[in-house]
């Protein structure tokens, strides 16, 4: 279902997705989206209602703009953004709460992050078997993934999306610890801001 409960999508074995829209007091068929080459395993509306993402055993994710669908529902000429997402079937697709990030999961044991224009952002490695489910925390800072390896991983996206954000996060965490720990003396409560750190470089083995 879309976040406003006015539309819902049905994934089908023939590689198509049926879209239904509420009109007055009942749902009516709107359009059949037929762009995948294999069974569709995942569908997800963005929280802002502007996009629909579909994931398939054809290893791709299609990103559909809802306004284009509504404007062309009388035809079948709706073309999505194609994302060649994984090396095996796509099992789950999720949008971040602010709708600016897409997470995908696959039989290839990985979780991947994408921008809304379909450009690649990051691969998250950690599972030893196919990944079956994804979900974001309410504020979008944590992504949970569950796998056939019998584990669930909580990915801290602040840490996963870059060194600058890692430093920011580390300063924020240490500052909170020093400020709120009653056993820390006043003279030890000072923590450097990210701007006060020296420039750091990594030579693949150590910080220099």
């Amino acid at each position: 279902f879309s976040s406003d409960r006015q539309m819902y999508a049905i994934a089908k074995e023939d590689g198509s997705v049926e879209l239904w829209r509420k009109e007055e007091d009942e749902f009516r068929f709107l359009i059949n989206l037929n762009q995948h080459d294999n069974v569709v395993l995942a569908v997800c509306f963005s929280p802002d209602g502007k996009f629909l993402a579909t994931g398939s055993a054809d290893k791709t994710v299609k990103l559909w703009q809802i306004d284009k669908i509504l404007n062309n529902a009388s035809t079948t000429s709706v073309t999505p953004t194609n994302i060649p997402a994984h090396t095996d079937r796509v099992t789950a697709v999720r949008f971040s709460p602010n709708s600016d990030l897409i997470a995908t999961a696959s039989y290839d044991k990985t979780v991947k992050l994408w921008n809304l224009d379909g450009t690649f952002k990051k691969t998250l490695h950690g599972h030893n078997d196919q990944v079956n489910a994804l979900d974001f925390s309410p504020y979008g800072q944590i992504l949970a993934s569950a796998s056939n390896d019998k584990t669930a991983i909580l990915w801290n996206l602040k840490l996963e999306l870059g060194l600058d954000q890692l430093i920011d996060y580390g300063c924020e965490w240490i500052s909170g610890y020093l400020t709120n720990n009653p056993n820390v003396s006043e003279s030890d409560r000072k923590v450097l801001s990210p701007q006060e750190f020296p420039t750091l470089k990594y030579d693949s083995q150590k910080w220099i």
Side-chain angles (χ1 to χ4, degrees), residues 111-177:
V111 174
K112 293 189 178 183
L113 302 176
W114 309 86
N115 296 307
L116 279 186
D117 61 1
T119 56
F120 172 76
K121 199 168 185 70
K122 187 176 179 67
T123 299
L124 304 177
H125 296 279
H127 287 293
N128 297 315
D129 205 339
Q130 66 191 58
V131 185
N132 299 313
L134 296 170
D135 206 5
F136 282 91
S137 64
Y139 295 102
Q141 296 180 345
I142 303 295
L143 175 66
S145 60
S147 166
N148 267 22
D149 64 11
K150 303 179 184 179
T151 69
I153 296 178
L154 299 179
W155 306 93
N156 189 321
L157 298 184
K158 278 190 173 182
L159 300 181
E160 296 295 341
L161 294 177
L163 175 59
D164 289 340
Q165 289 164 308
L166 172 59
I167 294 176
D168 286 345
Y169 177 81
C171 289
E172 180 181 312
W173 189 93
I174 294 172
S175 179
Y177 172 81

Side-chain angles (χ1 to χ4, degrees), residues 7 33 50 59 101 109 118 137 139 158-159 185 193 197:
M7 301 179 73
L33 304 173
K50 294 181 179 180
K59 309 175 188 177
L101 192 66
K109 308 176 188 178
S137 64
Y139 295 102
K158 278 190 173 182
L159 300 181
S185 65
S193 69
F197 274 87

Side-chain angles (χ1 to χ4, degrees), residues 5-123:
R5 303 297 180 183
Q6 297 302 301
M7 301 179 73
Y8 70 85
I10 301 174
K12 300 176 67 177
E13 290 187 359
D14 65 2
S16 67
V17 175
E18 284 188 6
L19 201 59
W20 294 67
R21 187 184 187 188
K22 192 171 186 178
E23 296 181 9
E24 298 179 351
D25 293 327
E26 63 180 7
F27 283 94
R28 298 180 181 179
F29 174 77
L30 180 64
I31 193 172
N32 194 55
L33 304 173
N34 192 5
Q35 290 285 331
H36 285 291
D37 297 325
N38 207 329
V39 56
V40 179
L41 300 172
V43 294
C44 185
F45 286 93
S46 62
D48 63 9
K50 294 181 179 180
F51 295 94
L52 171 68
T54 59
S56 168
D58 67 9
K59 309 175 188 177
T60 72
V61 170
K62 311 291 185 187
L63 187 61
W64 310 81
Q65 290 183 254
I66 297 299
D67 60 348
K68 288 186 177 180
I69 292 174
L70 296 178
N71 291 335
N72 296 278
S74 60
T75 70
T76 56
S77 60
V78 182
T79 302
T81 298
N82 179 59
I83 304 174
H86 290 272
T87 59
D88 207 332
R89 59 180 56 196
V90 178
T91 54
V93 179
R94 286 290 183 272
F95 286 90
S96 60
N98 61 3
S99 301
D100 69 350
L101 192 66
I102 304 168
T104 62
S106 172
Y107 269 41
D108 66 11
K109 308 176 188 178
T110 69
V111 174
K112 293 189 178 183
L113 302 176
W114 309 86
N115 296 307
L116 279 186
D117 61 1
T119 56
F120 172 76
K121 199 168 185 70
K122 187 176 179 67
T123 299

